[in-house]
Amino acid sequence: MTVSSSVRPAVPDRGGPRARVAPWLTLAWSAVAVALGLGWWSGVLPRGVPEGESFGSLFSGQGLGVASGAMAVCGLAGLVCSVLLLRRGGAGGRVAEVGAWLMAVAVLTVFVDGSLLALLGYTMIVPVAGWFVPGLPSAYVSAILEPTALTLLFCAVGVVLWAVAALVHRGVVRDACQRCGREEDWTPGEERRVRARALRVGRWAVGVGVVLALLYPALRFLWLFGVMLDFGEQETRRMLTDSSMLFTGLALGAAGAVGAVLMLGLVQRWGVRFPRWMVGLAGRRVPVALAVAPASLVAVALVAMGRSTLVQLMTAMEGSTPVTEPVHATVFLSMGAWGVALGVATAAYAVRRRAECGECERGLPEADPVRTPVAG
């Protein structure tokens, strides 16, 4: 039911159950972080951050005390911030919201590195490439079960949880609906303007993101023509004769191209309704979480890859690797910007997909992106 601007139902009580789920999750995450730090330090748990050389990790070559201390301190800070977020009626105020955002940024920049994007990339290609590359499935399973990989995933989820907690807290402070985030002065005209603005911003973000997303596939697809930029002649010859390595590189490039295509769905009709060729799902509504959850995780991984490349360039004192060479360095650094663009596009998609709220009864029916009205 669409509610006119003159009839505004009461907003649910501030600080109710829905608004308290997010801070409880961050509280649990923080408690686990403290336990991890203490577990690493005491030897009860295997170290969950790289000990030796690892691409872009801030803990490469650092002692156990540095890694365990950093994780424990991060967890303690998270506990304090979560308690502020849990204060009834948003009494934590601006401090709690800023603290949640700082936690998200800190976890992303300190604990998440480029290895996360590699894990996600191999997750995409193993179901196909595993049939053609001997040993790839077993190597992938072993890698994903490593303590360092599990810590990466834990921290990536933490980044998303802290960002969500900050947004939820802002809604509580503003007396917004706990379910949809709409405020008491909502009007249909404003809803249309917000959707139109989100669509414009989303299109720009997707446009930038798709261009950047195609850089990596282009780098790998050149291998089909025997061109391997930033590799020496001898190494190029060796890689071209190694069918497993060649297939894996091309598969990762294809995964990047698929990512670019999927990003288009954030502003296309088939991102709202399943396309006709999807038998059994054609025409049905695409669940918002089905697009937002994986896109958010990939955005975190991309930003982490850009940060890791920067760290690698600043700390590579001895010798060089393809990543520190001009072309590869440019492509991998650009992934940070791609991640930001994907994050903006995902947020715009989520805002645009908000339909009528069953709790506060505000909102308008969902509209296809190509038909979203520009003004109210």
Side-chain angles (χ1 to χ4, degrees), residues 21-31 78-79 81-82 85 158 161-163 165:
V21 171
W24 275 112
L25 289 176
T26 59
L27 185 71
W29 184 94
S30 302
L79 290 174
C81 187
S82 296
L85 291 170
L161 287 179
W162 282 111

Side-chain angles (χ1 to χ4, degrees), residues 182 191 195 285 353-357 362-366:
R182 295 181 177 91
E191 177 90 1
R195 287 185 178 182
R285 178 178 177 273
R353 289 290 309 274
R354 290 190 307 176
E356 296 170 295
C357 179
R362 300 188 182 102
L364 299 172
E366 277 190 309

Side-chain angles (χ1 to χ4, degrees), residues 150-163:
L150 295 176
T151 301
L152 270 177
L153 294 172
F154 169 73
C155 291
V157 170
V159 173
V160 177
L161 287 179
W162 282 111

Side-chain angles (χ1 to χ4, degrees), residues 82-351:
S82 296
V83 170
L84 291 175
L85 291 170
L86 281 167
R87 294 186 66 184
R88 187 168 294 278
R94 189 73 171 173
V95 174
E97 181 185 342
V98 172
W101 283 118
L102 289 177
M103 283 296 301
V105 173
V107 175
L108 174 58
T109 56
V110 176
F111 294 100
V112 186
D113 58 47
S115 301
L116 177 62
L117 186 62
L119 285 175
L120 296 180
Y122 277 95
T123 299
M124 289 184 65
I125 71 168
V126 163
V128 176
W131 293 94
F132 304 97
V133 180
L136 181 60
S138 59
Y140 168 77
V141 172
S142 298
I144 203 73
L145 294 178
E146 285 287 328
T148 51
L150 295 176
T151 301
L152 270 177
L153 294 172
F154 169 73
C155 291
V157 170
V159 173
V160 177
L161 287 179
W162 282 111
V164 170
L167 293 172
V168 168
H169 183 75
R170 167 176 263 193
V172 173
V173 171
R174 293 187 174 186
D175 227 355
C177 174
Q178 296 171 20
R179 182 172 181 178
C180 70
R182 295 181 177 91
E183 299 181 20
E184 190 175 0
D185 59 353
W186 174 89
T187 64
E190 179 61 23
E191 177 90 1
R192 296 187 185 97
R193 285 190 289 272
V194 168
R195 287 185 178 182
R197 187 161 57 246
L199 182 58
R200 287 196 299 270
V201 172
R203 282 172 173 167
W204 275 102
V206 166
V208 172
V210 167
V211 170
L212 295 174
L214 292 176
L215 294 179
Y216 179 76
L219 198 62
R220 291 294 172 256
F221 290 160
L222 285 175
W223 291 10
L224 291 169
F225 306 98
V227 178
M228 291 188 170
L229 300 175
D230 291 336
F231 288 94
E233 182 178 347
Q234 184 176 356
E235 191 170 6
T236 296
R237 192 181 306 113
R238 179 181 64 82
M239 292 175 67
L240 288 175
T241 57
D242 187 335
S243 59
S244 295
M245 184 175 294
L246 185 63
F247 188 88
T248 301
L250 292 173
L252 289 171
V258 169
V261 173
L262 291 176
M263 196 173 177
L264 289 172
L266 297 175
V267 291
Q268 296 293 325
R269 188 179 187 278
W270 56 268
V272 176
R273 300 284 174 179
F274 286 108
R276 295 178 181 177
W277 57 268
M278 297 192 71
V279 179
L281 293 175
R284 294 189 180 183
R285 178 178 177 273
V286 176
V288 178
L290 185 63
V292 171
S296 299
L297 183 60
V298 172
V300 169
L302 287 167
V303 172
M305 176 59 79
R307 193 276 296 166
S308 294
T309 304
L310 184 61
V311 170
Q312 196 73 9
L313 290 171
M314 295 174 62
T315 58
M317 298 297 182
E318 298 180 4
S320 63
T321 66
V323 175
T324 60
E325 296 298 326
V327 177
H328 276 74
T330 299
V331 171
F332 282 101
L333 278 173
S334 72
M335 289 182 177
W338 172 16
V340 172
L342 177 57
V344 171
T346 303
Y349 173 86
V351 169

